[in-house]
Amino acid sequence: MIPIHENLKARVAVITGGSGVLCSKMAHELARQGVNIAILNRTAEKGEIVASDIVKEGGIAISIETDVLSRESLVQAKEKILQQFGRIDILINGAGGNHSDAITDTELFDENTKGKSFFDLDENGFSSVFSLNFTGTFLSSQVFGKELLKAEAPTIINISSMSSYAPLTKVPAYSAAKASINNFTMWMAVHFAEAGLRVNSIAPGFFITTQNKNLLLDESGNYTARSQKIMEATPMKKFGQPEELLGALLFLIDESYSSFVTGTTLAVDGGFMAYSGV
Ligand code: NAD
């Protein structure tokens, strides 16, 4: 069991995409640590479920239907959070994901292969994946940033991916967007360093979640060819469990552990990035 970080008690965390598989775990853990949680999610009902589960467990949480691609929606959410909690200390930019319109059917180009090639990718599909993963983080950081600067030990945690370093095949928009997250994390870290706002990212390795389940498991629940390649490239030989992100999260959020850490992207990947394949 992760120990309680007393200094986090009564802080306020805004978690975009907070009803998702990974960020809902973060929400539950931060609530257990005594942090007041605002779940900002596109789908209201999913956010309500996470918030009410947290409340049942004795935590404090609210859910606000929010589109991270709309400044107006984010500003409205901010007003509700301030009314409810009066401050914001932590922003987790978790809303993100991929879409089939921005995915090629094959890993390598071959003009004789049927299916969606790079040349068939739809511009709007490509842009919307890029926007969700990058612009959603940019806009949320702008809207909540001014409130964060009023806090004693404010911090932003962005959610990157293994695809940000060497891009994964088939997913060019997602990969480019996550690469931009690492870069933007460094940019914001520098920009706000003297103002006291620390900005870091977590780059999860491979976790089986709703979004990628069809790519990673076949109909009988066995590993697909892609999963087998992932296992070969993951020295720990397993997919991550969402709980395995929590130590990294608390380390980055709690300034008593990481007061001199800003601008970094922390990989939580079972060794995937360290392995050359040989
Ligand atoms: P998920 O689909 O379970 O959660 C994503 C959440 O974002 C959902 O709750 C969704 O409602 C929300 N969302 C989508 N568009 C939104 C919008 N416009 N406004 C507000 N909310 C919106 O995904 P997950 O696997 O838990 O991923 C969480 C984050 O981690 C994402 O940024 C993802 O790219 C990243 N990530 C996931 C993995 C993995 O293996 N699952 C690996 C690396 C990085």
Side-chain angles (χ1 to χ4, degrees):
M1 177 76 88
I2 296 175
I4 295 295
H5 297 229
E6 292 294 338
N7 54 328
L8 298 186
K9 241 177 213 146
R11 289 192 188 175
V12 176
V14 174
I15 309 181
T16 73
S19 76
V21 178
L22 302 183
C23 289
S24 62
K25 280 282 175 225
M26 296 182 185
H28 277 275
E29 175 58 20
L30 289 181
R32 196 181 69 85
Q33 295 283 342
V35 175
N36 298 333
I37 307 293
I39 308 261
L40 269 50
N41 228 75
R42 204 178 32 179
T43 324
E45 305 79 58
K46 286 197 206 158
E48 295 293 345
I49 293 171
V50 178
S52 75
D53 284 348
I54 289 175
V55 171
K56 277 183 214 147
E57 289 160 10
I60 298 174
I62 56 170
S63 161
I64 305 167
E65 182 179 347
T66 312
D67 180 358
V68 293
L69 294 175
S70 155
R71 181 184 295 280
E72 197 189 334
S73 168
L74 286 163
V75 168
Q76 281 171 8
K78 181 179 76 174
E79 281 158 11
K80 286 185 190 150
I81 296 163
L82 291 176
Q83 259 170 23
Q84 185 83 19
F85 296 132
R87 56 192 264 197
I88 299 170
D89 304 87
I90 300 160
L91 169 64
I92 300 178
N93 283 311
N98 216 335
H99 192 275
S100 53
D101 285 351
I103 300 178
T104 62
D105 283 343
T106 54
E107 292 188 356
L108 303 178
F109 180 71
D110 176 349
E111 57 190 345
N112 299 316
T113 308
K114 289 207 173 74
K116 202 194 316 156
S117 81
F118 170 71
F119 298 108
D120 303 315
L121 289 179
D122 173 65
E123 185 184 327
N124 294 328
F126 198 99
S127 307
S128 74
V129 168
F130 194 89
S131 297
L132 171 59
N133 289 283
F134 178 73
T135 313
T137 292
F138 162 70
L139 277 178
S140 303
S141 302
Q142 263 195 335
V143 170
F144 297 109
K146 277 194 187 156
E147 288 306 316
L148 285 167
L149 289 172
K150 296 177 190 165
E152 213 173 287
T155 188
I156 295 179
I157 306 292
N158 296 322
I159 307 295
S160 177
S161 159
M162 273 307 107
S163 212
S164 65
Y165 301 100
L168 301 179
T169 56
K170 299 186 179 182
V171 295
Y174 181 77
S175 302
K178 290 302 190 185
S180 76
I181 288 296
N182 300 8
N183 190 281
F184 185 52
T185 296
M186 292 192 282
W187 189 88
M188 281 202 291
V190 172
H191 194 66
F192 291 116
E194 288 191 14
L197 169 60
R198 293 183 306 111
V199 185
N200 291 290
S201 290
I202 293 175
F206 295 87
F207 294 71
I208 296 182
T209 54
T210 340
Q211 277 188 45
N212 60 20
K213 207 165 63 190
N214 294 340
L215 277 174
L216 301 180
L217 299 177
D218 66 19
E219 281 161 11
S220 332
N222 298 317
Y223 285 173
T224 58
R226 194 167 175 90
S227 283
Q228 279 158 15
K229 278 173 115 175
I230 292 169
M231 282 307 123
E232 280 162 25
T234 304
M236 287 190 176
K237 297 283 176 255
K238 60 167 202 150
F239 285 104
Q241 296 298 322
E243 297 76 16
E244 292 180 295
L245 295 171
L246 300 178
L249 177 73
L250 288 165
F251 163 73
L252 291 173
I253 284 182
D254 185 344
E255 74 285 359
S256 60
Y257 287 74
S258 56
S259 56
F260 201 46
V261 180
T262 195
T264 194
T265 296
L266 180 51
V268 182
D269 67 345
F272 180 88
M273 206 170 61
Y275 184 44
S276 70
V278 179

